[in-house]
Amino acid sequence: MATRHFLSLMDLSADEYRKLFARAAALKARYGSKKRDRSLEGRVLGMIFEKASTRTRISFESGVAQLGGDAIFLSPRDTQLGRGEPIADSARVVSRMVDAIIIRANDHGMVEEFARYSKVPVINALTDLNHPCQLLADVFTYEQHRGSIQGRRVAWVGDGFNMCHSYINAAQVFGFELAIATPPGYEPDEQLVAQADDRVWLCKSPADAVAGADLVVTDVWASMGQEEERLKRLRDFADFTVDNALMQKAADDALFMHCLPAHRGEEVAAEVIDGPQSVVWDEAQARMFTQQALVEFLMLGYFPGQQD
Ligand code: CP
Ligand code: NVA
């Protein structure tokens, strides 16, 4: 059977997501009761990071350790990849010694190439194209607070970059409506929007996107690798702060999410991210439970407790 990878949200089926979220809920409950499973005993996760990370690194490392497995963290300084060893050769070698590999890369093509030559599952831990692991946490967190996200309305306010792209994929996979507001020139990939055009539309203003929304989401204005554009982006995104006045246009029980790290006073006002509609801390912790379920599924081929 071909090796399964998780490079975008399109790589798992609706049934697999249903099982993944059920397993993540069980893992969350067990974490709360201080019980631990040993489902990953003797298994090793390789972790290749070309960029900084707090949440992704810790959620995978801690998540695997809690299930009895080990993780090896590799930055470009630590491997021959950083000194120009071909991606294909690195993939062939690393994948003979670990049970799955997560990669955070500058270029999505690097992760695709690594996966082509890997004997074990490769998980996308953020690229310039998308961030599918974050969407597992976001959808799980929405459903823990409000029930099924299917048919709900989500507003994306901000840069049409990697996180926005994964929201577009998620609208298709999980069946919600997605209204997107970006400044001119920062729209998401046209092809991705076209593929999801029955669910996704671009709006003229943040107010239009947020009107009646059940969930409001944003992300930093300058992503990793875009630091030199920061001043220009501060000007271009000046009208795109998610503040209380904007949140008031959403549904009364709307939630606010942000993948973090956040810049208070830029893409989100402190009154929102630190306010009662914000679920960003649950969202961050959900990275761990959902990725534990994902790693179990890709390493073991099933969700423990749901083998039938
Ligand atoms: N949301 C997220 O991926 O955070 P990190 O960059 O800290 O991993
Ligand atoms: N868009 C952000 C997400 C960080 C988790 C970035 O790529 O830096």
Side-chain angles (χ1 to χ4, degrees):
M1 211 171 78
T3 304
R4 297 281 302 267
H5 301 294
F6 185 65
L7 306 191
S8 95
L9 286 173
M10 313 315 267
D11 289 338
L12 263 60
S13 68
D15 184 53
E16 287 164 345
Y17 282 119
R18 191 178 53 74
K19 291 179 174 162
L20 187 151
F21 290 138
R23 175 63 179 157
L27 286 161
K28 182 179 172 206
R30 289 179 78 73
Y31 187 73
S33 67
K34 311 261 186 239
K35 292 195 186 115
R36 298 287 185 269
D37 290 354
R38 306 291 296 170
S39 55
L40 298 182
E41 193 146 23
R43 316 264 171 169
V44 180
L45 179 71
M47 303 177 47
I48 296 174
F49 277 64
E50 293 180 350
K51 308 195 208 194
S53 168
T54 297
R55 280 143 289 270
T56 305
R57 177 178 178 179
I58 296 174
S59 55
F60 272 106
E61 277 198 33
S62 179
V64 166
Q66 285 165 34
L67 297 175
D70 280 298
I72 303 174
F73 178 80
L74 300 162
S75 79
R77 278 197 312 267
D78 306 314
T79 67
Q80 301 287 6
L81 259 175
R83 297 180 58 248
E85 183 168 10
I87 293 164
D89 292 1
S90 304
R92 289 178 178 112
V93 171
V94 177
S95 70
R96 283 172 176 241
M97 298 187 227
V98 299
D99 299 288
I101 299 161
I102 71 164
I103 307 179
R104 170 165 285 196
N106 294 305
D107 171 18
H108 189 76
M110 183 275 186
V111 181
E112 286 182 328
E113 187 175 353
F114 201 104
R116 254 197 314 280
Y117 292 95
S118 174
K119 291 165 80 83
V120 299
V122 172
I123 296 171
N124 174 357
L126 181 144
T127 67
D128 57 346
L129 180 66
N130 57 12
H131 193 8
C133 289
Q134 183 68 49
L135 263 291
L136 298 181
D138 288 21
V139 173
F140 178 77
T141 303
Y142 184 85
E143 297 199 340
Q144 289 272 303
H145 282 267
R146 294 283 186 267
S148 175
I149 200 164
Q150 194 174 357
R152 297 297 191 145
R153 180 158 174 181
V154 178
W156 176 269
V157 178
D159 196 5
F161 191 50
N162 47 10
M163 274 297 302
C164 181
H165 291 161
S166 278
Y167 262 89
I168 293 170
N169 289 155
Q172 281 178 280
V173 170
F174 299 107
F176 59 79
E177 317 271 279
L178 178 65
I180 299 172
T182 73
Y186 295 94
E187 292 87 359
D189 182 87
E190 269 177 32
Q191 261 185 308
L192 280 181
V193 176
Q195 277 162 24
D197 70 352
D198 54 335
R199 298 251 173 237
V200 173
W201 65 97
L202 306 188
C203 299
K204 286 200 173 16
S205 69
D208 283 352
V210 167
D214 300 297
L215 170 64
V216 179
V217 195
T218 188
D219 185 16
V220 289
W221 290 344
S223 285
M224 289 182 275
Q226 299 170 340
E227 289 79 6
E228 282 176 12
E229 298 172 27
R230 189 174 145 72
L231 288 179
K232 175 173 167 27
R233 284 169 172 265
L234 282 177
R235 288 193 299 273
D236 292 348
F237 284 82
D239 297 330
F240 283 72
T241 303
V242 178
D243 56 16
N244 269 346
L246 191 63
M247 286 300 291
Q248 270 163 20
K249 299 183 190 308
D252 288 344
D253 66 345
L255 297 176
F256 171 78
M257 289 194 202
H258 188 313
C259 64
L260 306 176
H263 294 77
R264 288 171 176 75
E266 293 183 17
E267 75 275 6
V268 61
E271 64 198 13
V272 171
I273 193 168
D274 299 318
Q277 289 170 288
S278 170
V279 289
V280 296
W281 314 125
D282 287 349
E283 180 189 2
Q285 191 187 28
R287 296 291 304 277
M288 191 166 73
F289 307 125
T290 51
Q291 290 162 191
Q292 284 178 310
L294 176 68
V295 171
E296 284 181 331
F297 176 59
L298 291 177
M299 281 190 185
L300 308 174
Y302 58 87
F303 296 99
Q306 308 176 21
Q307 278 92 325
D308 44 337

